[in-house]
Amino acid sequence: MIKFLDIQKINQQYATELKKVAAEVIDSGWYLLGEHVVQFESDLSTYVGTKHAIGVGNGLDALRLILRAYMEMGIMQEDDEIIVPANTYIATILAITDNRLKPVLVEPDIDTYNIDISLIEEKITPRTKAIMIVHLYGRVCWSKELEVITKKHNLKIIEDNAQAIGAEWNGIKTGNLGDAAGFSFYPGKNLGALGDSGAVTTNDANLAEVIRALGNYGSKEKYKNIYRGLNSRMDEIQAAFLSIKLKYLERENETRRSIANYYAKNITNPEVILPKILKKPKEHVWHLFVIRTNERDRLQKYLTKNSIQTLIHYPIPTHKQMAYKKWHGTDLPITEKIHNKVLSLPMSSVLKMKDVYEVVNLINHYTR
């Protein structure tokens, strides 16, 4: 079986370093808010290029805390609107509704799968306070047009950077493009922890201070609670692991780009629509390599039968989920087309080229 993602093999590369630092954390007797979290926050802010990085419990909390902080600062209030791509993973939407803010769903661009920036301005109302962009599948979502829109309407840009750590737009890394960004270090991400973990990056010192307090029960000083906060803190052991793995991220992303290039140049089956290889390679880190085909389920069964593991990201769009049944009937044809036709091929930094060749060969020989 060619695995979609071999997390065990990824971490085995660094097993000696990971085990060594795990022992150090265990022996230290300090497991939360210690020197390893401080070190990783410093490493991450340096890597991304921001002034501040705050370790949190997971990627969903990172986005929840950004919005919550803006509300505590008086920049947003309940029922304000946040523009967001309709085809994102549900976590992006949950972060908005959890704060009693209103998601405004915008269709994606069918060619990039990112939000269609040309459709944003028509969705802006007096209640709009931010655009939450998602660098979906690892591709940067940014443009001069987006910058003009946000300045014209005085909107915040919040980056959902769960899938695109290391990607760049004109030399600036994702996580340092907008006003604040949420990161996920779920084990399957390009930079994955060995458990749940996340972070927020920003250049806004006030925002960073409020987020840090909110994630610690709303407290800057023990037993003095300024806000009704959350318990969302990065563990020392995850921070230690992430600092090690961050050293190798650029190399791993380059491997992903090489695999994506081979897929894109050599899959020739006319039944398959491929993502485009960008003229500026650093604008994509290929968290996922997503193809589109009219008979997705049939192709997936064919590949499974031939020992190729694939996944669907994501089979049910948010507006079709029971959690948001009030949106059932919403007209989002491009979003639905994407969710009904996409298939993610094997992609990781440890995927062997002989396996990549096999995937390509099988897809090229697939017929309806």
Side-chain angles (χ1 to χ4, degrees), residues 2 7 49 57 63 76 79 85-86 104 119 136 152 160 162 198 209 219 226 239 254 265 289 295 314 320 324 346 362:
I2 297 174
I7 296 174
L63 297 175
M76 297 177 187
D79 294 324
V104 177
L119 300 178
L136 198 64
K152 177 180 176 182
D160 181 338
E209 184 179 23
S219 174
I226 305 169
E254 281 302 318
K265 291 177 180 178
F289 189 93
E295 294 194 16
Y314 306 96
K320 295 284 188 180
Y324 293 102
L362 283 165

Side-chain angles (χ1 to χ4, degrees), residues 60 63-68 71 76-85 88-105 132 158 318-319 321-327:
L60 171 56
L63 297 175
R64 289 169 70 204
L65 287 164
I66 292 168
L67 293 170
R68 178 71 175 277
M71 295 176 79
M76 297 177 187
Q77 59 184 348
E78 285 188 18
D79 294 324
D80 278 344
E81 297 171 352
I82 310 296
I83 289 173
V84 64
T88 185
Y89 181 55
I90 196 171
T92 319
I93 310 296
L94 289 170
I96 299 170
T97 58
D98 186 64
N99 283 291
R100 298 183 181 179
L101 297 165
K102 180 181 177 182
V104 177
L105 306 181
M132 186 174 284
I158 301 166
T318 301
H319 73 283
Q321 298 283 358
M322 282 302 298
Y324 293 102
K325 58 184 177 181
K326 67 178 181 180
W327 291 341

Side-chain angles (χ1 to χ4, degrees), residues 117 142-149 169-170:
I117 293 171
W142 202 262
S143 73
K144 289 293 183 184
E145 181 187 0
L146 178 64
E147 293 179 353
V148 169
I149 291 169
W169 189 82
N170 288 350

Side-chain angles (χ1 to χ4, degrees), residues 206-223:
N206 291 334
L207 181 68
E209 184 179 23
V210 175
I211 289 170
R212 193 176 293 281
L214 282 169
N216 188 36
Y217 298 97
S219 174
K220 296 179 185 178
E221 183 180 345
K222 195 170 185 179
Y223 300 131

Side-chain angles (χ1 to χ4, degrees), residues 173-354:
K173 281 189 164 59
T174 53
N176 192 22
L177 291 166
D179 295 283
F183 292 70
S184 169
F185 304 121
Y186 177 80
K189 303 299 185 186
N190 290 34
L191 178 63
L194 277 69
D196 261 331
S197 201
V200 174
T201 57
T202 184
N203 290 305
D204 184 333
N206 291 334
L207 181 68
E209 184 179 23
V210 175
I211 289 170
R212 193 176 293 281
L214 282 169
N216 188 36
Y217 298 97
S219 174
K220 296 179 185 178
E221 183 180 345
K222 195 170 185 179
Y223 300 131
K224 294 184 179 180
N225 302 82
I226 305 169
Y227 312 109
R228 298 178 185 180
L230 308 174
N231 174 15
S232 185
R233 302 173 295 194
M234 180 178 284
D235 296 340
E236 277 287 282
I237 201 161
Q238 298 302 339
F241 291 155
L242 288 165
S243 283
I244 289 169
K245 295 183 71 177
L246 182 59
K247 297 184 296 184
Y248 304 103
L249 179 61
E250 288 292 308
R251 183 185 75 190
E252 293 203 3
N253 282 344
E254 281 302 318
T255 300
R256 289 172 175 268
R257 290 187 182 110
S258 296
I259 293 167
N261 276 324
Y262 190 86
Y263 277 150
K265 291 177 180 178
N266 292 281
I267 294 174
T268 57
N269 192 320
E271 298 288 335
V272 172
I273 298 171
L274 296 166
K276 294 178 181 177
I277 298 297
L278 304 178
K279 292 180 180 178
K280 296 180 179 179
K282 290 195 173 182
E283 290 185 4
H284 209 317
V285 294
W286 300 100
H287 172 60
L288 300 172
F289 189 93
V290 179
I291 63 173
R292 203 165 76 244
T293 184
N294 288 330
E295 294 194 16
R296 184 262 311 283
D297 295 343
R298 189 168 181 268
L299 174 58
Q300 186 177 42
K301 287 179 182 177
Y302 161 80
L303 291 171
T304 301
K305 184 179 178 180
N306 286 278
S307 299
I308 308 295
Q309 185 183 37
T310 59
L311 293 179
I312 298 170
H313 296 86
Y314 306 96
I316 305 172
T318 301
H319 73 283
K320 295 284 188 180
Q321 298 283 358
M322 282 302 298
Y324 293 102
K325 58 184 177 181
K326 67 178 181 180
W327 291 341
H328 289 188
T330 304
D331 186 29
L332 294 165
I334 297 174
T335 294
E336 291 178 23
K337 181 178 182 179
I338 290 169
H339 285 265
N340 289 333
K341 296 186 177 183
V342 292
L343 185 67
S344 301
L345 301 184
M347 171 60 75
S348 81
S349 59
V350 295
L351 187 62
K352 294 180 179 178
M353 286 310 297
K354 70 177 182 63

